[in-house]
């Protein structure tokens, strides 16, 4: 092939690749469980939806990756006797976290919820009943799950629930993100987590550190479950290790200011 023909072919292939990428990046978001691909130790993972795709719906899974900031979040569907120790540890390190709670948790643990708020933590909306929200295509049904929790929270704490939403089990759809946005919510996914939720098979200290520490990265939104006995036991050491590595801890307000 002559050099001129080769250059024309390369230019055409490049144009096709750019066009294909443009179509992909503007495509609809998938419906399903939030997922991550870790490709390099210490580097940010790739989510199954892009940062810019999520941003247009006031959603995020990671912060500014040029800053050594971690955003610590906990999901709680019920109380397992671990939250008090977790709160004690957060207080020791002067770390403010976010707790995504369901209706059952607030109903049965009002004093614990008030403690979270009084100590400066953010309580977010994990829905009233922890349904698969991607199956709620009707706006009124979707809205009721979030608004019922808002009412319960205000009756319990005396103030308005912060408008942060985490889909139960990380299951979402593009319509869900639109509806949450219409309700004034910011949707919070995550960029660092591990299998800590199975109470019948809790990871050891060593297993937890082996999963979390190599994958820690600047701007990480960390998801831990406050039901995990392992998390309660290792949190003091984990926060210390992160602090020694030069990380500080940010709030969800800061997260959405950074993206």
């Amino acid at each position: 092939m002559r050099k001129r023909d080769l250059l024309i072919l390369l230019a055409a292939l490049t144009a096709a690749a750019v066009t294909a990428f443009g179509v992909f990046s503007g495509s609809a978001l998938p419906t399903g469980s939030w997922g991550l691909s870790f490709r390099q130790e210490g580097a940010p993972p790739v989510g199954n939806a892009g940062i810019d795709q999520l941003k247009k719906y006031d959603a995020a899974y990671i912060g500014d990756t040029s800053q050594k900031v971690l955003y610590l979040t906990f999901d709680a569907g019920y109380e397992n006797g671990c939250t008090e120790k977790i709160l004690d540890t957060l207080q020791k390190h002067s770390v403010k976290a976010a707790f995504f709670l369901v209706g059952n948790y607030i109903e049965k643990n009002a004093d614990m919820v008030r403690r979270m708020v009084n100590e400066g933590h953010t309580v977010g909306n994990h829905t009233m009943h922890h349904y698969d929200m991607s199956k709620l295509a009707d706006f009124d049904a979707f809205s009721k799950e979030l608004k019922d929790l808002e009412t319960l929270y205000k009756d319990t704490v005396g103030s308005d629930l912060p408008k942060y939403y985490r889909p139960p089990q990380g299951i979402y759809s593009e319509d869900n993100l639109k509806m949450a946005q219409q309700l004034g919510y910011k949707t919070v996914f995550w960029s660092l987590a591990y299998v800590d939720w199975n109470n019948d098979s809790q990871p050891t200290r060593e297993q937890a550190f082996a999963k979390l520490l190599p994958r820690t990265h600047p701007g990480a939104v960390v998801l831990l479950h406050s039901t995990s006995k392992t998390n309660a036991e290792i949190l003091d050491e984990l926060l210390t290790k992160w602090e020694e590595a030069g990380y500080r801890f940010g709030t969800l307000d800061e997260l959405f200011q950074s993206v």
Side-chain angles (χ1 to χ4, degrees), residues 24-36 46-51 53-54 56-57 132-134 167 170-178 189:
F24 172 77
S25 64
S27 63
L29 294 174
T31 294
S33 295
W34 178 247
L36 297 166
V46 176
N48 58 2
I51 293 172
Q53 285 180 305
L54 293 174
K56 65 182 180 179
Y57 299 116
D132 175 351
M133 298 295 281
S134 70
I171 301 174
Y172 71 102
S173 69
E174 188 164 17
D175 284 342
N176 287 168
L177 298 183
K178 290 178 182 177
F189 292 104

Side-chain angles (χ1 to χ4, degrees), residues 12 19 51 72 128 142 176 201 204 207 214 222 224 230 239 256:
T19 301
I51 293 172
L72 187 58
M128 191 68 185
F142 182 93
N176 287 168
S201 182
T204 65
Q207 289 170 334
V222 183
L224 301 175
T230 297
L239 295 180
F256 282 91

Side-chain angles (χ1 to χ4, degrees), residues 151-197:
T151 300
L152 177 59
Y153 176 88
K154 188 164 187 176
D155 290 345
T156 303
V157 175
S159 58
D160 292 332
L161 180 73
K163 290 288 186 103
Y164 293 108
Y165 163 63
R166 174 164 284 160
Q169 303 176 68
I171 301 174
Y172 71 102
S173 69
E174 188 164 17
D175 284 342
N176 287 168
L177 298 183
K178 290 178 182 177
M179 289 188 283
Q181 186 182 46
Q182 284 179 292
L183 291 168
Y185 276 89
K186 292 179 170 61
T187 301
V188 185
F189 292 104
W190 59 89
S191 64
L192 178 60
Y194 77 120
V195 181
D196 61 349
W197 46 264

